Amino acid sequence: MLPTTSSVQIGELAAGQALTIPIYHFKPSADKATGPKVYIQANVHGAEVQGNAVIYQLMKQLEHCDIRGEIMLVPLANPLGINQKSGEFTLGRFDPITGTNWNREYLNHVIDLPTWYREHANLSDSELIQAYRSTLIEACQQKLQYEWGITTGHRLAVNLQIMAHGADIVLDLHTGPKSCKHLYCPEYDLAAAQFLSIPYTLIIPNSFGGAMDEAAFCPWWQLSDIAKSQGRNLAVAVSALTLELASQERVCLEDARVDAQGILAYLSHRGVIAQTVAPAKMPRFGCYLKDYKKYHAPSAGLVEYLAPVGEPLTAGQPLVNLLRMDLYGTADELKTLSLPQDCVPILHFASASVHQGTELYKVMTQVFELPTT
């Protein structure tokens, strides 16, 4: 089965040209549509291009699958960020107009849930879910029509959010600066981590921080919580994960094939495809977000990054060498810095030239092996 193609307009350039993004759909026939709906996007940050390669490899495999749930794939999700270049570098992490992170522009729904639930409590679970989904999508559409207007970045994000709100599974594909593969997974849905080909999982709280995964799952976790307070056992209807696929400004098709296979294993487990796809056999480790630490440069200088990402680092082992050419001939010309506790470095800053206070590394501490079922 080949996907159908379409596009959606997410804004306009100053000279009037329409900004559009491509969309690919795999749709089962009506008699086979038994699985959940899936939304997958990539490249919201301009330099984070590997997710497009993963979508490419995933579509190549989906062409030969028995599709049971609708799958919407949105590569190249942010044309403004993708084209935000300076020389050989892509700068598209922040909206150049407002300075806001492109992945922090999604709508935080403010719904009087106790009242909403009382008004809809007589509905069956499936009817309740459909009504709530319609409420979320309508709120996004109203935001786009706000009489005072909205920012360019917010318009992009809310258009993407509308598509995501139509799905039961949302996967947002990103990369780090210089990074190993890792996953952001909400605490209630940790079992999902065992299917993806990703060694490290950050377990995030069930709260809104502005990113797409949180924008997708938080309203549903809140609905489930309200229902539980009224004596109704309503499962969280939407799963949303952020996959960090190693480093930015890099495309590796073989690596993308491995990650696409992991996504297929997850979709197989969820009944989106009829085929049985086994997850990769590999150890997987977790860390709670509260134990995910940032190490900032104590002084400016030129940095040699010594600790490889994705490999355990014992307390006191060298993390970086910090070179100060302006202090040549003094005791401070070259310093080796280390961390005070065991950790796993997950990513580090891309540049070797840093200001004082630059975030040099992000590391997992209190790491533990994830169980399998």
Side-chain angles (χ1 to χ4, degrees):
M1 172 193 292
L2 289 172
T4 60
T5 61
S6 60
S7 64
V8 64
Q9 183 171 336
I10 49 83
E12 295 177 348
L13 294 175
Q17 296 95 331
L19 274 173
T20 62
I21 53 177
I23 300 172
Y24 298 88
H25 267 105
F26 288 88
K27 293 184 179 180
S29 57
D31 61 318
K32 289 186 175 182
T34 58
K37 293 184 178 181
V38 180
Y39 174 82
I40 303 176
Q41 70 176 26
N43 213 176
V44 165
H45 290 140
E48 300 181 10
V49 293
Q50 178 67 3
N52 297 310
V54 172
I55 287 179
Y56 168 80
Q57 294 285 39
L58 182 60
M59 290 199 296
K60 286 296 184 185
Q61 296 186 58
L62 286 171
E63 287 181 13
H64 307 288
C65 289
D66 185 357
I67 307 295
R68 298 299 174 91
E70 181 181 342
I71 306 170
M72 178 186 290
L73 303 113
V74 182
L76 306 170
N78 181 2
L80 286 167
I82 293 164
N83 289 288
Q84 193 181 340
K85 306 287 286 188
S86 179
E88 62 185 289
F89 299 104
T90 309
L91 304 180
R93 185 172 182 81
F94 301 98
D95 182 341
I97 300 170
T98 64
T100 304
N101 186 327
W102 289 112
N103 195 36
R104 298 294 185 273
E105 296 272 27
Y106 300 100
L107 179 62
N108 183 14
H109 292 284
V110 181
I111 298 171
D112 181 357
L113 262 181
T115 300
W116 188 96
Y117 183 78
R118 283 196 302 271
E119 293 172 350
H120 297 82
N122 62 313
L123 299 176
S124 68
D125 286 0
S126 61
E127 292 171 334
L128 186 73
I129 288 169
Q130 184 55 49
Y132 194 52
R133 195 184 302 279
S134 297
T135 296
L136 297 177
I137 292 172
E138 182 181 353
C140 288
Q141 291 169 337
Q142 288 177 353
K143 187 65 177 179
L144 292 175
Q145 301 302 320
Y146 181 53
E147 61 184 348
W148 293 94
I150 60 175
T151 67
T152 301
H154 204 40
R155 180 171 298 280
L156 165 68
V158 174
N159 271 293
L160 296 175
Q161 194 172 355
I162 288 172
M163 293 186 285
H165 277 325
D168 308 298
I169 298 170
V170 176
L171 303 180
D172 194 11
L173 309 185
H174 287 258
T175 67
K178 299 295 182 182
S179 174
C180 69
K181 295 179 187 179
H182 56 290
L183 173 71
Y184 286 85
C185 182
E187 190 169 357
Y188 73 85
D189 201 21
L190 186 55
Q194 66 186 289
F195 297 97
L196 300 164
S197 302
I198 294 180
Y200 294 102
T201 295
L202 276 165
I203 305 164
I204 61 177
N206 306 327
S207 58
F208 183 76
M212 168 59 91
D213 54 358
E214 297 154 340
F217 77 71
C218 280
W220 295 98
W221 175 79
Q222 291 162 357
L223 178 64
S224 176
D225 205 39
I226 286 289
K228 187 178 296 183
S229 72
Q230 301 301 310
R232 182 174 185 172
N233 185 19
L234 182 70
V236 180
V238 170
S239 296
L241 309 169
T242 295
L243 284 64
E244 300 278 354
L245 305 167
S247 302
Q248 64 188 25
E249 296 279 34
R250 160 190 176 272
V251 166
C252 176
L253 287 171
E254 176 55 26
D255 223 9
R257 186 192 63 78
V258 171
D259 289 317
Q261 192 71 13
I263 293 173
L264 270 184
Y266 179 58
L267 299 185
S268 169
H269 166 70
R270 293 295 305 272
V272 180
I273 59 174
Q275 285 80 357
T276 298
V277 181
K281 293 183 178 180
M282 57 186 289
R284 295 171 174 86
F285 300 91
C287 162
Y288 287 95
L289 190 63
K290 65 182 177 62
D291 296 318
Y292 192 42
K293 306 296 186 183
K294 302 175 183 179
Y295 180 71
H296 298 88
S299 62
L302 306 177
V303 177
E304 180 184 11
Y305 297 95
L306 300 175
V309 295
E311 296 184 15
L313 185 73
T314 304
Q317 283 188 309
L319 182 72
V320 300
N321 281 330
L322 187 62
L323 176 64
R324 288 291 296 262
M325 292 303 299
D326 59 314
L327 299 177
Y328 182 78
T330 75
D332 294 324
E333 65 183 20
L334 180 64
K335 291 182 177 180
T336 300
L337 307 177
S338 61
L339 296 176
Q341 66 182 112
D342 296 349
C343 66
V344 177
I346 297 299
L347 59 83
H348 67 71
F349 196 59
S351 175
S353 174
V354 303
H355 299 305
Q356 185 180 39
T358 294
E359 184 183 286
L360 293 182
Y361 272 90
K362 286 184 178 179
V363 303
M364 286 184 175
T365 65
Q366 307 297 325
V367 177
F368 55 92
E369 188 163 0
L370 296 178
T372 58
T373 57

